Amino acid sequence: MAAPTARSCCVADVALWRALMDRTMYAESFVEHRDCETPETLRWLPMMYRAAAARLEKLEREAEQQYPGIFEHLDTERAAAGAAVPSWCWLPVARVQEVLAHHYTSSGTGIEGTSPTAQRSVDAARLASIGAWRAAGRHLVHPDDDLVPWPHEAECDEGDEMPVDLPGRWPLFGLYVVFLSPNPAVRAEGGFLHLEWDEREQRAALRIASDTEPVAGLERLDAQSLHLVGETILEAARKTVRAVPSDTVLAASSDSEPDRSAMLLAGKNRFWVRAADRLTSPQVDFVDAAQALGRVPGVLWPPEQPDAKGGAPSLWLAMPASA
């Protein structure tokens, strides 16, 4: 009998299945010894899942090694923030910086002496991306090429629209967008996406942490920010750079003019902005990858708020909605 689809699956059945199945068992759907059960045309799927899960496990492990207990501290900070932070924002990066300054100013982090302010700023952006993804339930999303082509483009057209309405349709605290890497030794690469509310400036931003290096590592996460302002991506980048240049975490450039920096920021993140926009569009269908392999019942998107931290990542396939 075929597994029920996401559309036909009863909400009560989904709740029962989630209650019976520990999230730590989810990865069993993608283990290597079951590849022989998978149609040849779909074998890339479990390989991509395993590679992505390994990357993400390494990032979480390195974060905990460098900042022991960091995510517990940040969860406590989010609970304390309450309604001061919008429901679509897990934790403002400024609050993450405060946690680092308060709890990790000694050798307890594994780093001799006090962490420099600049390093705390960079690490706070990286930790906020990982933390938002963890708090949302560790969800990976793989977009169909017809939905979001990969790889991202280097140039940004003046007419590329900036989706300033993202907060009204953002489904989870954070997502990890994953793709099959053209490098067979890497197999998977991607990036974190989450929204942030700046309490001081009273503005929203799209936070991006690209994870596309051949070897995953906390220090290799390329954290960027784009304020959700303006009509185009380039306009948003210009306003971001002019407002808080250090907030973009841009690499040093011989050309320090703000407009040049804005063009670099826009071009570097054009793909990610498009991905955030299209993945939150009502014209997109999501299917659990384990369901697509016929190994679990159908579940609905967006998933319910997680109650099992520490579980394996879940992988969703995003594709243009059927007519």
Side-chain angles (χ1 to χ4, degrees), residues 291-316:
Q291 176 202 349
L293 296 175
R295 293 168 189 173
V296 299
V299 289
L300 301 174
W301 176 271
E304 295 182 0
Q305 193 69 16
D307 57 4
K309 293 180 181 180
S314 59
L315 174 60
W316 298 81

Side-chain angles (χ1 to χ4, degrees), residues 80-146:
V85 176
S87 61
W88 43 260
C89 171
W90 176 58
L91 198 61
V93 173
R95 287 190 180 236
V96 180
Q97 287 181 255
E98 291 173 2
V99 169
L100 294 183
H102 181 72
H103 292 281
Y104 301 96
T105 56
S106 69
S107 58
T109 62
I111 302 173
E112 291 186 8
T114 301
S115 177
T117 301
Q119 186 61 46
R120 280 206 302 266
S121 176
V122 174
D123 285 350
R126 293 164 172 163
L127 292 169
S129 293
I130 299 172
W133 174 73
R134 282 169 48 102
R138 293 182 171 87
H139 295 284
L140 318 180
V141 177
H142 173 68
D144 185 273
D145 285 343
D146 291 335

Side-chain angles (χ1 to χ4, degrees), residues 125-270:
R126 293 164 172 163
L127 292 169
S129 293
I130 299 172
W133 174 73
R134 282 169 48 102
R138 293 182 171 87
H139 295 284
L140 318 180
V141 177
H142 173 68
D144 185 273
D145 285 343
D146 291 335
L147 187 68
V148 187
W150 176 260
H152 53 79
E153 302 167 48
E155 298 298 326
C156 186
D157 191 278
E158 287 274 2
D160 283 322
E161 294 184 7
M162 187 67 187
V164 296
D165 64 336
L166 279 176
R169 49 194 170 99
W170 199 249
L172 300 166
F173 280 138
L175 302 172
Y176 184 90
V177 184
V178 61
F179 292 87
L180 190 67
S181 173
N183 184 343
V186 177
R187 294 193 182 276
E189 55 189 80
F192 297 93
L193 296 177
H194 69 107
L195 298 186
E196 181 205 16
W197 176 246
D198 188 301
E199 296 171 282
R200 182 173 62 87
E201 299 291 338
Q202 293 290 289
R203 56 157 174 78
L206 172 64
R207 286 272 178 175
I208 301 152
S210 178
D211 178 32
T212 57
E213 291 292 324
V215 178
L218 185 65
E219 77 285 356
R220 297 184 181 94
L221 277 184
D222 185 14
Q224 308 279 315
S225 175
L226 273 172
H227 298 178
L228 292 177
V229 295
E231 295 184 358
T232 68
I233 298 174
L234 190 53
E235 183 181 351
R238 285 178 177 138
K239 292 186 176 182
T240 301
V241 168
R242 289 169 182 166
V244 193
S246 62
D247 194 41
T248 62
V249 199
L250 285 171
S253 170
S254 58
D255 187 345
S256 60
E257 293 182 7
D259 202 57
R260 174 59 179 163
S261 295
M263 291 177 67
L264 290 172
L265 179 65
K268 195 171 190 177
N269 294 291
R270 180 190 194 191

Side-chain angles (χ1 to χ4, degrees), residues 22-56:
D22 190 322
R23 273 287 301 278
T24 59
M25 296 175 60
Y26 183 85
E28 292 297 316
S29 296
F30 304 93
V31 291
E32 188 172 0
H33 70 76
R34 299 192 68 177
D35 284 355
C36 59
E37 304 172 18
T38 307
E40 191 170 348
T41 56
L42 287 178
R43 287 184 186 174
W44 60 271
L45 192 52
M47 288 191 296
M48 184 182 72
Y49 175 88
R50 293 193 297 267
R55 290 186 75 99
L56 290 158

